[in-house]
Amino acid sequence: MSFFVPTLKQWGYLDSIHLTLCIVGSRKIDEFADSDYSRQGWEIFAPNLTIYGFDADQEACDRRNAELASQNITWTEKHIPLALWNHCQGASLYVTQHPGCSSLYPPNDVVIDRLSEYSDRHKLISTTQVATTTLDNFFVNLQSPIDLIQLDVQGGELNVLLGGKNHIIPDVLAAVVEVNFVELYKHQPLFADVDQYLRNSQFTLFDIGQKWHGLRQGISLMSRQHRGQFVWTDGYYFRDLIRPDQNHHLKTPDRILKLACLADMLSFYDYALELLGYLTKRYGLSDRRYNFADCIIQSLENNPEAVKHGINTIPFVTELRKYTYLS
């Protein structure tokens, strides 16, 4: 749930921006409602919203596209039956007992056979050849940059990132990336590999999502402190476009506003507030398009919990009040 975006919409600040989201591994939308961006409030950006979904599952893409067509959506969204990778030469898809666990990496029996649930879900059923492409190749003529990318491709997240390293990833503002701490698939990159690549690309890890564990096969004994071996989670990464010691081509008011919206939509309210405050203090005196003082104050005052905790009186917010008469 967003905090500032509804008020930004009300005041017309969203009229001048267009958000583009890319979901790689979009068949998960069929399984998890929280993977469906249209159910998370992103439609508030319509019609200035474009969503691209990629998955090797043709039927899942067709089903999702048909569902969208029947809904008469007011934004642009399409799901493409292609596997994104770090090359365009095609690859083997290892189909598992649970379709959502299929991967371009083969299941690692040495590991999964020792973990409850994973041994069945990741059991190899068949192998098939699929077409692959890269982010850079598919979006070679992309007009609007991808602002947020979500990756859930069962161990192949780093390869997808590498496939967009020349043109697409340098423009991305935020990334939600599934990361593994256990080698469920043979030779797959783990969290350290993905994290190092993203940090070297000037992304900052802000938080992780729900932690998923695995218990030893046939053993249901666990302690209160530990629920088994830490297997995987989602990493939430953002650009830090207001660090004074970093220069980046994305460091423009419009991109920082987009970043604030993404942070807000992903429930990082403090970062969204910091970014909106930065824009107000840096540009708000000379350009009303970036004066969000009244918008910020209204958002805070309309939230009972924020008022209860006295957020209106903190120095950061108090300082913004001097800009309210301009907006």
Side-chain angles (χ1 to χ4, degrees):
M1 182 179 295
S2 56
F3 194 103
F4 297 103
V5 164
T7 312
L8 291 171
K9 177 74 170 183
Q10 176 187 342
W11 285 61
Y13 288 114
L14 302 186
D15 296 346
S16 61
I17 66 172
H18 187 111
L19 281 185
T20 301
L21 317 180
C22 181
I23 312 169
V24 187
S26 61
R27 78 174 315 281
K28 303 297 192 304
I29 289 174
D30 287 345
E31 304 170 45
F32 306 107
D34 60 0
S35 296
D36 186 348
Y37 276 87
S38 64
R39 300 180 190 177
Q40 298 176 18
W42 291 89
E43 69 274 8
I44 196 172
F45 294 95
N48 301 327
L49 173 68
T50 299
I51 300 176
Y52 296 102
F54 289 88
D55 202 285
D57 189 328
Q58 175 81 53
E59 292 184 4
C61 290
D62 291 344
R63 187 165 55 247
R64 181 59 178 164
N65 287 328
E67 180 182 326
L68 291 168
S70 68
Q71 294 174 353
N72 296 317
I73 59 175
T74 55
W75 64 92
T76 300
E77 180 173 349
K78 53 186 176 181
H79 294 258
I80 301 102
L82 282 174
L84 288 181
W85 207 236
N86 61 351
H87 59 70
C88 304
Q89 302 168 3
S92 296
L93 176 67
Y94 298 89
V95 181
T96 55
Q97 180 73 43
H98 188 281
C101 298
S102 301
S103 173
L104 297 187
Y105 284 109
N108 190 357
D109 293 339
V110 173
V111 172
I112 63 175
D113 284 349
R114 299 174 62 195
L115 296 174
S116 297
E117 295 187 24
Y118 295 92
S119 58
D120 292 333
R121 293 168 61 88
H122 290 71
K123 182 180 179 181
L124 182 63
I125 300 300
S126 62
T127 304
T128 185
Q129 292 297 305
V130 295
T132 61
T133 189
T134 67
L135 283 168
D136 283 343
N137 184 69
F138 186 86
F139 290 117
V140 65
N141 295 316
L142 185 66
Q143 299 299 313
S144 180
I146 291 173
D147 302 299
L148 169 68
I149 188 167
Q150 176 178 323
L151 304 177
D152 183 355
V153 286
Q154 303 305 112
E157 290 75 15
L158 181 57
N159 287 288
V160 176
L161 292 169
L162 290 172
K165 66 180 180 180
N166 294 323
H167 304 295
I168 298 303
I169 299 304
D171 284 335
V172 171
L173 295 170
V176 181
V177 185
E178 182 177 287
V179 289
N180 285 61
F181 294 83
V182 177
E183 196 176 342
L184 297 176
Y185 303 92
K186 294 178 181 178
H187 311 302
Q188 72 165 106
L190 297 178
F191 166 73
D193 307 300
V194 177
D195 181 68
Q196 182 177 31
Y197 174 80
L198 287 170
R199 284 188 290 109
N200 289 342
S201 301
Q202 292 190 307
F203 285 92
T204 300
L205 177 64
F206 270 57
D207 200 4
I208 61 173
Q210 182 176 351
K211 295 168 63 178
W212 296 87
H213 298 76
L215 289 173
R216 296 295 129 184
Q217 184 70 268
I219 303 175
S220 58
L221 181 65
M222 65 179 177
S223 67
R224 292 183 178 179
Q225 293 88 352
H226 305 290
R227 296 184 294 132
Q229 185 172 5
F230 187 16
V231 178
W232 67 274
T233 187
D234 290 311
Y236 290 80
Y237 289 85
F238 292 95
R239 300 280 186 191
D240 190 351
L241 298 183
I242 62 175
R243 273 186 62 166
D245 61 335
Q246 286 189 359
N247 292 316
H248 202 284
H249 74 281
L250 299 177
K251 219 171 193 177
T252 66
D254 286 340
R255 293 294 183 88
I256 295 173
L257 174 56
K258 281 189 178 187
L259 181 60
C261 290
L262 293 173
D264 192 50
M265 292 298 296
L266 294 173
S267 300
F268 292 87
Y269 305 139
D270 63 322
Y271 190 37
L273 175 55
E274 182 186 31
L275 292 166
L276 292 173
Y278 171 88
L279 287 170
T280 300
K281 289 185 283 187
R282 180 71 179 269
Y283 302 101
L285 286 173
S286 58
D287 192 337
R288 293 188 179 186
R289 293 177 302 166
Y290 306 111
N291 187 332
F292 303 101
D294 282 317
C295 183
I296 291 170
I297 300 302
Q298 180 179 321
S299 297
L300 294 173
E301 290 181 344
N302 287 345
N303 188 286
E305 283 299 311
V307 174
K308 178 182 176 181
H309 288 87
I311 195 169
N312 250 332
T313 63
I314 63 175
F316 184 88
V317 175
T318 301
E319 184 181 357
L320 289 176
R321 289 188 179 276
K322 71 176 74 170
Y323 296 86
T324 58
Y325 74 96
L326 293 172
S327 58

